[in-house]
Amino acid sequence: MTKALEARYTRDNVKAGEAQRKAQEIAFAPVIFQVSRVMLKSGVLKYLEENPDGVTMEEIAEHCALSPYAAKVLLEASLSIGTVIVKEDRFLLTKTGWFLLNDASTVADLDFNHDVNYMGLFYLDEALREGKPAGLKVFGEWPTIYEALSSLPEQVKKSWFGFDHFYSDNSFKEALELVFGKAGKPVRKLLDVGGNTGRWASRCVAYDKDVEVTIMDLPQQLEMMRKETASLEGAERIHGYGTNLLDESKRFPAEHFDAIWMSQFLDCFSEEQIVSILRRAAESMDSDTRLYIMETFWDRQKYETAALVLTLTSIYFTALANGNSKMYHSDDMARLVAEAGLEVEELHDNLGLGHSIMVCRKK
């Protein structure tokens, strides 16, 4: 673990009064979440930011089209939550409220948890017992969320992709330089495993005019990818290879690839499934091929807040995604890489918003 995580996770320095309050925050967490979400979505936090000298409850109610009762219960709850303070009769935004309003990662997380996770988390205990995404039933009957993506309600889909893309996109610039600029040899063919809507593939063909990218993913994901990339420059150099990687009989493409890319992909699988996927990847590799695994390993985060986000995101995988995967510790991933017949050649940290890239080669 990084020093920031070790300081927080290896000793209990909280005083009794703080611990009791924290316990009550946990007990009322759903209420805290929904009050804060409404404060954001109704425009109250924005109105407070625009008026640093403070505004009255009556002014807030009128400006944000709230009843006096609604404004009162929201503001009084927000005082206890800590997103606002009051001086005389005027309410002001706190630092916590400012981050809730302006921090892009917090906004993406909030929408993801409300639209995708909130109702499904009710079934967490069932998901833990059965090892299946029991919460996914709130949207329909699918074995995992990945088969469901193209059929989810539009707002749910928007928040899912918004969360996924926000974290990966912020690492792509540095990742491109690593794959293409520091590889030591030209990358002419790249296999993007779990390429989703083609955002990485489109960045690759824009970065290098000679590279051909093949996206290996579920057939329904490839359909979305083709729609998303059709009008982009270099789209003719993006190809699809439809397969279900949970089927252990499905092999990687027979053609030779200089690089195999897996971004925010292996966290979608259990340890046994990861070994199976990596073993099949290894079978397709030669001594010159490099496998790049980009993940947000929770133990390698510079700031503890990022580790909090990641370990709690693991619960989404449990309750809604597939019931058996998580955000991994880097040591666990290195162990799985070795079990699959590969070895970690390099490990690069602190890309974008906390990504790491494991560069692997065949043993």
Side-chain angles (χ1 to χ4, degrees):
M1 287 188 286
T2 59
K3 289 183 179 180
L5 272 60
E6 187 175 351
R8 185 69 178 265
Y9 295 167
T10 61
R11 48 188 177 269
D12 185 0
N13 294 324
V14 179
K15 296 180 180 178
E18 296 174 83
Q20 183 184 39
R21 179 184 170 87
K22 184 67 175 178
Q24 287 289 3
E25 287 176 349
I26 293 170
F28 278 92
V31 181
I32 292 171
F33 177 85
Q34 290 296 355
V35 167
S36 301
R37 185 186 68 85
V38 173
M39 287 283 284
L40 176 64
K41 298 301 181 182
S42 64
V44 176
L45 297 184
K46 184 65 177 176
Y47 185 48
L48 292 175
E49 183 186 45
E50 293 169 348
N51 294 273
D53 294 328
V55 288
T56 66
M57 185 180 296
E58 292 74 20
E59 290 170 330
I60 291 169
E62 181 179 357
H63 181 83
C64 299
L66 297 169
S67 70
Y69 166 79
K72 180 170 287 190
V73 295
L74 286 172
L75 288 164
E76 289 177 351
S78 296
L79 282 172
S80 298
I81 293 167
T83 52
V84 305
I85 56 173
V86 64
K87 293 184 178 180
E88 297 180 352
D89 66 341
R90 306 184 78 79
F91 289 85
L92 298 92
L93 191 68
T94 65
K95 295 182 183 71
T96 300
W98 185 92
F99 275 101
L100 187 63
L101 176 65
N102 293 293
D103 181 57
S105 63
T106 300
V107 174
D109 295 344
L110 186 143
D111 288 341
F112 178 67
N113 279 311
H114 181 256
D115 295 326
V116 180
N117 296 334
Y118 201 83
M119 292 188 292
L121 286 172
F122 184 83
Y123 301 96
L124 175 61
D125 51 350
E126 182 181 339
L128 289 165
R129 285 196 309 270
E130 298 182 355
K132 296 179 180 178
L136 187 56
K137 64 182 138 190
V138 301
F139 298 120
E141 296 298 326
W142 294 279
T144 73
I145 202 168
Y146 310 108
E147 289 92 342
L149 277 178
S150 60
S151 304
L152 290 175
E154 283 305 313
Q155 184 58 44
V156 177
K157 195 187 307 183
K158 178 181 177 183
S159 293
W160 191 95
F161 282 110
F163 177 83
D164 182 72
H165 292 163
F166 176 80
Y167 286 100
S168 61
D169 288 5
N170 276 282
S171 303
F172 279 171
K173 182 178 183 296
E174 294 165 280
L176 286 165
E177 293 171 357
L178 178 64
V179 173
F180 289 94
K182 300 178 182 178
K185 64 181 184 63
V187 175
R188 291 293 171 256
K189 287 193 174 183
L190 182 145
L191 180 65
D192 182 2
V193 185
N196 216 320
T197 56
R199 293 174 80 87
W200 167 255
S202 62
R203 294 288 293 272
C204 287
V205 296
Y207 187 91
D208 189 315
K209 303 302 181 184
D210 296 317
V211 69
E212 299 274 342
V213 179
T214 299
I215 295 179
M216 186 179 185
D217 212 327
L218 293 167
Q220 56 266 44
Q221 291 298 105
L222 295 180
E223 288 181 19
M224 286 198 292
M225 177 275 291
R226 292 186 179 100
K227 291 178 182 177
E228 291 291 327
T229 61
S231 61
L232 300 179
E233 184 179 353
E236 71 281 359
R237 289 183 281 121
I238 301 176
H239 317 289
Y241 185 88
T243 191
N244 181 2
L245 281 162
L246 287 177
D247 184 343
E248 294 194 3
S249 68
K250 302 298 184 183
R251 301 297 164 194
F252 277 52
E255 63 183 297
H256 173 268
F257 290 95
D258 302 301
I260 299 175
W261 174 258
M262 299 181 182
S263 172
Q264 293 184 181
F265 173 70
L266 293 178
D267 54 46
C268 302
F269 301 95
S270 69
E271 290 196 1
E272 294 78 9
Q273 291 166 341
I274 289 173
V275 172
S276 171
I277 291 168
L278 290 178
R279 187 172 286 136
R280 282 175 276 159
E283 290 172 356
S284 73
M285 296 168 62
D286 60 26
S287 60
D288 292 327
T289 309
R290 291 297 178 269
L291 168 65
Y292 297 86
I293 299 172
M294 187 166 85
E295 290 287 346
T296 42
F297 299 119
W298 70 261
D299 64 300
R300 302 190 74 85
Q301 299 305 306
K302 187 175 181 181
Y303 302 106
E304 190 275 334
T305 299
L308 177 146
V309 170
L310 294 171
T311 55
L312 296 183
T313 298
S314 287
I315 305 304
Y316 145 76
F317 288 104
T318 306
L320 284 111
N322 53 35
N324 58 16
S325 72
K326 63 190 292 291
M327 306 305 292
Y328 284 96
H329 190 292
S330 61
D331 288 351
D332 290 330
M333 187 61 70
R335 171 173 51 81
L336 301 176
V337 166
E339 286 182 30
L342 298 165
E343 61 183 359
V344 179
E345 184 177 45
E346 299 173 357
L347 180 56
H348 301 266
D349 290 325
N350 301 317
L351 283 76
L353 295 174
H355 279 84
S356 298
I357 291 183
M358 279 185 173
V359 184
C360 306
R361 64 184 177 191
K362 199 166 185 177
K363 284 184 180 178

